[in-house]
Amino acid sequence: MQKVLDYLKQHQDRFLAEFCDYLRFASVSAQPQHKKDLVACAEWLVAHCRNIGLDARLCETAGHPIVIAKTPGRKAEGGKRKAEDKSRKPHCLVYGHYDVQPPEPLDLWTTPPFEPRITGRNLFARGSTDNKGQNFAHLKAVEAYLKTGTPLPCDLTFVLEGEEEVGSKSLSGFLKAHRQELACDTIVVSDTGMPAPNHPALTYALRGIIAFEITLHGPARDLHSGIFGGAVENPAMAMAQLLAKVRDHHGVIQIPGFYEDVAALSKYERDQIKRYPLSDAKLKKLLGAKELFGERGFTPTEQRSSRPTFEINGLTSGYQGEGSKTIVPAWARAKITCRLVPNQKPAHVRKIVCDWLKQNCPSTVRMEIAAGHGAEAYMVSPTSDAAQAALRALEKAFGTKPILMREGGSIPIVNEFKKVLGADTLLLGIGLPDDNAHSPDEKFNLDCFENGQRMSAFLWQELAA
Ligand code: BES
Ligand code: MN
C-alpha cells in the first residue's frame, strides 16, 4: 500500500495537468452544438484509461458515448457468479459522468469555464466538481496500483457516461443489454458532497425527482394591453396566482396528499442530521440569501436533504427584452421539479400534483402539462459490510471520522443499478457545498482531489477484506 500512496504523492503535478486537459472539453450534454466535444472527451478518456493500463472501449449509443474501462486480467464471468467462491475477487463498478451542465451565464464567470484556472487549493472550471474531478480521482488511484505493480484487491469496471445531466437515457438501456458483463458486488459513485474538506461523509440517501412544464394559454396572440387589457385574462397573472396557492406562508405544500407517503425521520436520524457541521448562519452566507426559508418544523439541513419540495426552476411569459412593451401575453410557462423522498412514488406524486393543478386552473386559460423525467429517491443501509468498509477507507484517507448523511440531489441511475444489476451503491462524494456545482465559477478543492484518490486506493483493500 505504501508504494501506491507514495506514487500518488509523487505524481500530483502531472495529475493536475491531465485533469486540466479533461476539463478543457466543453462536454455540455444539453446543447446539440457540443455533440463533437462530448465525443472528443469520451475518446480522450478511452486513450487515457489505456495509458494507465486499463482495457478501455468507447460504446456508441443513440445519445452520447459511454466509456467502459476495466482492470486487466479479470477471469471471464461464466454464468452466475458464486458468492461462496472465496478465491473470487469482488467486482466493483465505478460510475461517473463526463458531461457537464451548461456554463451560462458566461459573464458571471471570473475566467472562461473551459479554461481551467488554479487559485490556491481550488481549481475553477465547469465540470470540475460535477463530475470530472471526482471520477478522475478514482482513475488516478487505479493508475497508482497498476503502475506500481501492486495487485488490486478488487476487479474494477469504470462506467463513464455522457448523459447524466440530461437524464441518463442511453445508460439505462445499456445496463440491461450488458447485464452479464456489468454484474458486480458493489457500485461506487463519487458524485455527491461532503460538508467540509476535513469532514468526509458517506451518503446513504438521495432525493428522487419529478419534472414537468406547465403552459397556460390565454388570448390567441400578444395583445395591446391598453386596447384590450382589463377585459381578458393575463396568463402570466393566472400562472402567478396558481403557483402561489401551491404553498402557504410557512413553506408547507398545500396539494392534498403531497406528503402522505413521506417516510418520517427517526429521532436517530434527526440527531445525526444535527451533527452536520454547517451552521444556518454559514449556509445563509454561502447562499447569499437575505434569509433562509423552508418548510416549518424542519431544520435547513432536514429541509434540503429529507423533505419533498415543489420548486419553480423557470418562469417565462411576455416580453423579456430591454425597455417596456405594453402587452397582454398570449401564454405563460413554468418549469417545475419536485424533489421526492424515500417511500414517495414518482408516478403517484406526478398524478396528484397534475390533477390538483388542473382542478385549480381558472377557466379563463387553457392548461397544458408536459411530463419530464422522474426517479425515485434512493436509500441504502449504512451498516452493510460494504458501507463499513467505505467508512474505514474514508477515515484512513481524510484522517477524520466520516459522518453519515442524506443528500438532496438526485442520481436516478442508482435506482437502475439496483433494479438491473441487483447491487447497492456506495455514495462517496468529495464535492464541497461551496463548489458551485451548476453555478458560475464552479470549482474543485485540490485537497479533496488528493484525499479522494487516497480514499479510492484504501477502498479496494477495505472492500476485499
Ligand atoms: N451530482 C449531481 C447530483 C447530486 C449533487 C447529488 C449533490 C447529491 C448532492 C448530479 O450531477 C445532478 O446534478 N443530478 C441532477 C439529476 C436530474 C437532472 C435528474 C439533479 O439532482 O438535479
Ligand atoms: Mn449535476
Side-chain angles (χ1 to χ4, degrees):
M1 196 59 190
Q2 197 52 48
K3 270 197 295 183
V4 170
L5 298 175
D6 289 344
Y7 182 95
L8 290 175
K9 206 175 203 128
Q10 281 155 19
H11 292 87
Q12 286 306 312
D13 288 347
R14 172 172 55 84
F15 291 177
L16 274 187
E18 294 166 348
F19 183 22
C20 289
D21 290 341
Y22 189 13
L23 289 165
R24 281 190 195 97
F25 294 97
S27 45
V28 184
S29 50
Q31 299 173 341
Q33 71 268 29
H34 286 296
K35 174 81 199 164
K36 60 176 192 324
D37 298 308
L38 282 124
V39 172
C41 186
E43 282 169 349
W44 180 89
L45 270 173
V46 168
H48 192 80
C49 289
R50 286 182 183 154
N51 271 335
I52 68 182
L54 295 168
D55 294 333
R57 68 181 202 271
L58 185 141
C59 305
E60 309 270 1
T61 71
H64 306 306
I66 294 168
V67 174
I68 298 292
K70 306 176 184 197
T71 48
R74 179 161 172 245
K75 292 204 187 72
E77 323 85 41
K80 245 192 147 36
R81 295 164 313 117
K82 293 197 192 70
E84 66 274 19
D85 179 0
K86 289 284 190 301
S87 66
R88 186 182 68 88
K89 285 188 195 175
H91 178 212
C92 302
L93 296 193
V94 182
Y95 163 83
H97 62 95
Y98 66 84
D99 64 321
V100 304
Q101 282 277 320
E104 288 80 8
L106 294 175
D107 54 313
L108 294 185
W109 285 78
T110 308
T111 50
F114 299 107
E115 293 173 23
R117 162 178 60 100
I118 297 175
T119 304
R121 292 298 281 166
N122 285 321
L123 198 163
F124 290 83
R126 173 53 96 225
S128 53
T129 187
D130 187 6
N131 166 258
K132 288 172 174 174
Q134 301 204 41
N135 57 60
F136 204 57
H138 285 287
L139 282 173
K140 294 295 105 177
V142 173
E143 171 184 328
Y145 274 94
L146 296 174
K147 295 288 180 189
T148 57
T150 310
L152 259 158
C154 300
D155 291 319
L156 303 181
T157 300
F158 283 85
V159 179
L160 303 170
E161 71 152 318
E163 298 180 60
E164 194 274 346
E165 301 290 5
V166 290
S168 301
K169 277 199 198 76
S170 304
L171 182 56
S172 130
F174 185 90
L175 289 184
K176 289 175 191 130
H178 297 79
R179 219 185 263 276
Q180 190 94 353
E181 177 188 1
L182 300 177
C184 61
D185 301 282
T186 302
I187 296 144
V188 173
V189 177
S190 292
D191 192 20
T192 51
M194 54 194 270
N198 55 346
H199 276 280
L202 173 72
T203 292
Y204 66 92
L206 294 171
R207 285 194 288 190
I209 193 165
I210 53 168
F212 55 94
E213 243 178 65
I214 311 167
T215 307
L216 297 185
H217 298 274
R221 67 201 79 84
D222 290 356
L223 301 173
H224 191 300
S225 64
I227 302 176
F228 301 109
V232 67
E233 177 68 286
N234 182 314
M237 185 59 90
M239 182 70 89
Q241 289 185 315
L242 175 66
L243 293 178
K245 278 209 258 180
V246 168
R247 70 169 204 208
D248 69 8
H249 293 294
H250 305 295
V252 179
I253 309 295
Q254 299 298 296
I255 300 170
F258 187 77
Y259 295 104
E260 73 188 359
D261 292 327
V262 171
L265 279 169
S266 65
K267 164 99 171 57
Y268 177 78
E269 277 194 290
R270 295 191 93 163
D271 286 345
Q272 289 298 309
I273 289 173
K274 279 196 200 116
R275 296 174 50 203
Y276 184 85
L278 181 66
S279 68
D280 294 358
K282 268 209 193 128
L283 178 64
K284 190 180 110 170
K285 187 149 181 272
L286 175 70
L287 304 185
K290 194 165 157 253
E291 276 177 32
L292 293 179
F293 175 81
E295 188 190 353
R296 181 159 76 170
F298 298 91
T299 67
T301 308
E302 289 170 346
Q303 287 158 355
R304 64 194 189 91
S305 68
S306 316
R307 296 297 298 168
T309 62
F310 181 106
E311 211 77 65
I312 304 171
N313 305 135
L315 202 49
T316 317
S317 183
Y319 180 63
Q320 308 280 318
E322 252 175 82
S324 84
K325 185 183 184 195
T326 47
I327 54 163
V328 175
W331 55 267
R333 181 169 299 137
K335 288 178 184 284
I336 309 287
T337 50
C338 295
R339 294 285 166 173
L340 308 181
V341 298
N343 218 29
Q344 286 186 299
K345 295 278 168 282
H348 179 66
V349 179
R350 190 190 290 283
K351 183 170 185 320
I352 61 167
V353 170
C354 291
D355 286 353
W356 183 91
L357 288 167
K358 280 176 195 151
Q359 277 158 24
N360 287 273
C361 176
S363 59
T364 49
V365 287
R366 181 170 59 84
M367 176 183 278
E368 223 181 324
I369 301 182
H373 54 78
E376 260 175 66
Y378 186 71
M379 173 104 102
V380 70
S381 164
T383 59
S384 68
D385 288 348
Q388 295 303 310
L391 289 169
R392 291 194 299 274
L394 284 167
E395 181 162 1
K396 282 187 175 174
F398 288 87
T400 329
K401 265 216 175 327
I403 64 159
L404 293 173
M405 64 180 204
R406 292 169 70 149
E407 285 248 68
S410 309
I411 309 179
I413 199 72
V414 298
N415 295 306
E416 302 287 306
F417 288 149
K418 181 73 186 179
K419 266 184 228 146
V420 180
L421 306 176
D424 288 324
T425 297
L426 289 171
L427 295 160
L428 296 168
I430 50 174
L432 295 175
D434 67 353
D435 272 354
N436 292 327
H438 294 204
S439 300
D441 277 347
E442 178 178 349
K443 58 113 176 135
F444 191 46
N445 181 291
L446 296 179
D447 293 325
C448 292
F449 184 42
E450 219 172 311
N451 286 330
Q453 297 161 33
R454 288 151 41 80
M455 178 265 290
S456 180
F458 284 120
L459 181 64
W460 313 125
Q461 299 228 319
E462 295 298 338
L463 277 173

